[in-house]
């Protein structure tokens, strides 16, 4: 198949592009590299260094005539979404609409959408959450991702563009940015390897369901090969608080540095974990990599980059 991966030079998108290429698909990547990097790109992809709101997008998509859109270009920083709600909506909502409008006449007949890290559920009444859990986002980021799912449902009903929205829990692994605010595992590793104590926002008791990027890639492969539609949780169902995460990373790095506590993030959830039983039934696979093993793989990657 011909597949367009938006955000395909980024942390998650580049891993997905690699996996699609390994399976013999033709992959085109659209990315403005605002957070991604060309060094993440597989040599076999065709790369279009464009923003998803670029006026050239409709012409480019018309020429490609893709079979599938795998949409992972996004504004992913919860704190930035709170500080700049218009920017968040422009990328995550208007950017998606622009692509869907362009895709109507470009041949794209299926969308795989990288949805939120559990942010659309808000403070969970049930942990882990299933797909029928109430959606009450506590941040503009969560609102924009939920709006994206609603727009995808609209375009499926009115224009016949089928979609699956993979609702990711907290993704981590090689290629995640160790700068900025979005990738806590990479940020903590970067601090520890550089001899600095990591900063924990709040008391550190907030929990997340950490899913290794390799398991996420498998979900995107299975989504490509099945007819599953609508929202699907991709998580481990296991909660890990920030204090435990720091402890595991300190143990693996041999660091004796103490963490520093800073103010809690505005709009941050206290607990988040996703039930993937629907994915197990419909996709035939769920995340299986234990956190400890995933952290070891991620640390090995950053140690190699540091020594290079």
């Amino acid at each position: 198949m011909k597949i367009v991966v938006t955000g395909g030079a980024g942390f998650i998108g580049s891993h997905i592009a690699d996996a699609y290429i390994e399976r013999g698909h033709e992959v085109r990547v659209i990315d403005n590299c605002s957070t991604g990097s060309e060094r993440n790109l597989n040599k076999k992809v065709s790369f279009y260094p464009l923003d998803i709101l670029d006026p050239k997008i409709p012409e480019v998509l018309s020429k490609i005539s893709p079979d599938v859109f795998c949409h992972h270009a996004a504004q992913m920083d919860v704190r930035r979404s709170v500080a700049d709600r218009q920017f968040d909506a422009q990328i995550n909502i208007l950017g998606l609409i622009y692509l869907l409008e362009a895709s109507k006449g470009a041949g794209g007949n299926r969308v795989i959408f990288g949805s939120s890290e559990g942010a659309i559920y808000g403070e969970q009444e049930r942990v882990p959450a299933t797909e029928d859990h109430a959606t009450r986002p506590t941040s503009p980021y969560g609102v924009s991702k939920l709006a994206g799912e609603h727009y995808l449902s609209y375009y499926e009903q009115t224009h016949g563009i089928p979609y699956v929205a993979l609702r990711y829990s907290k993704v981590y692994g090689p290629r995640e940015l160790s700068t900025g605010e979005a990738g806590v595992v990479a940020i903590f590793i970067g601090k520890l390897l550089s001899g600095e104590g990591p900063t924990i926002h709040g008391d550190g008791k907030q929990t997340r369901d950490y899913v290794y990027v390799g398991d996420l890639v498998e979900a995107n492969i299975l989504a490509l090969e099945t007819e599953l539609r609508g929202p699907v949780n991709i998580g481990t169902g296991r909660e890990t608080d920030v204090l435990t995460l720091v402890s595991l990373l300190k143990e693996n790095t041999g660091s004796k540095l103490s963490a520093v506590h800073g103010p809690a993030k505005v709009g941050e959830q206290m607990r988040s974990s996703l039930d993937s039983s629907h994915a197990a039934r419909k996709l035939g696979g769920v995340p299986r990599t234990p956190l400890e093993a995933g952290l070891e793989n991620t640390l090995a990657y950053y140690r190699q980059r540091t020594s290079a």
Side-chain angles (χ1 to χ4, degrees):
M1 288 185 281
K2 286 186 289 185
I3 306 171
V4 168
V5 180
T6 64
F11 160 45
I12 295 173
S14 64
H15 283 288
I16 295 170
D18 285 347
Y20 286 166
I21 287 171
E22 287 176 5
R23 281 155 181 77
H25 300 297
E26 297 178 29
V27 178
R28 278 38 170 209
V29 165
I30 295 174
D31 200 314
N32 65 3
C33 289
S34 58
T35 56
S37 172
E38 288 191 45
R39 70 182 178 186
N40 291 334
L41 291 171
N42 191 297
K43 293 180 180 179
K44 294 182 180 180
V45 305
S46 296
F47 177 50
Y48 298 84
L50 298 172
D51 188 277
I52 56 174
L53 286 165
D54 193 294
K56 298 176 184 175
I57 289 291
E59 180 184 354
V60 167
L61 295 182
S62 179
K63 289 181 179 179
I64 296 172
S65 188
D67 300 302
V68 175
F69 281 94
C70 184
H71 183 48
H72 282 78
Q75 192 297 115
M76 298 184 296
D77 190 334
V78 171
R79 294 179 74 183
R80 183 165 187 180
S81 79
V82 173
D84 193 346
R85 293 177 286 277
Q86 289 181 322
F87 177 75
D88 182 81
Q90 181 180 28
I91 302 301
N92 291 351
I93 300 177
L94 295 182
L96 174 61
I97 294 172
Y98 189 58
L99 286 171
L100 289 171
E101 283 294 311
S103 73
K104 287 191 301 183
N109 57 15
R110 182 168 171 80
V111 177
I112 298 173
F113 179 56
S115 194
S116 79
E117 302 163 339
I120 64 171
Y121 295 121
E123 290 300 341
Q124 295 178 201
E125 298 172 353
R126 304 189 307 274
V127 180
T130 54
E131 288 83 356
D132 62 356
H133 190 285
T135 52
R136 294 187 293 268
T138 58
S139 68
Y141 167 71
V143 170
S144 67
K145 282 296 188 178
L146 182 57
E149 290 192 15
H150 288 314
Y151 269 107
L152 285 163
S153 177
Y154 166 77
Y155 274 84
E156 181 178 58
Q157 295 175 62
T158 59
H159 299 291
I161 303 175
Y163 80 97
V164 59
L166 301 179
R167 292 177 174 175
Y168 303 145
S169 58
K170 193 68 173 176
V171 188
Y172 71 97
R175 300 180 191 166
E176 185 177 21
L177 285 177
S178 58
T179 57
E181 300 293 341
V184 64
V185 171
I187 290 169
F188 285 175
I189 288 174
K191 291 287 187 182
L192 291 170
L193 292 182
S194 64
E196 299 178 53
T199 299
I200 296 174
H201 294 280
D203 60 12
K205 295 181 181 179
Q206 57 270 40
T207 68
R208 293 293 180 268
D209 179 349
Y210 294 96
V211 60
Y212 185 61
V213 68
D215 292 332
L216 191 84
V217 168
E218 181 182 1
N220 275 267
I221 293 169
L222 292 171
L224 187 68
E225 298 171 349
T226 67
E227 295 301 317
L228 180 62
R229 296 183 182 181
V232 182
N233 285 342
I234 305 297
T236 69
R238 172 184 174 184
E239 289 183 272
T240 302
D241 63 41
V242 178
L243 294 173
T244 300
L245 177 66
V246 171
S247 178
L248 287 170
L249 290 172
K250 286 177 63 178
E251 181 180 342
N252 285 340
T253 58
S255 174
K256 303 297 183 182
L257 294 167
S258 297
V260 177
H261 285 263
K265 294 181 180 181
V266 177
E268 184 176 36
Q269 296 166 253
M270 280 305 299
R271 297 180 68 188
S272 180
S273 180
L274 303 184
D275 184 321
S276 288
S277 56
H278 181 55
R281 291 191 301 271
K282 298 297 184 178
L283 290 179
V286 295
R288 295 184 177 86
T289 304
L291 178 60
E292 294 78 5
L295 291 178
E296 287 182 12
N297 293 342
T298 307
L299 271 166
Y301 169 81
Y302 286 103
R303 283 192 175 110
Q304 184 178 34
R305 281 191 59 185
T306 301
S307 62

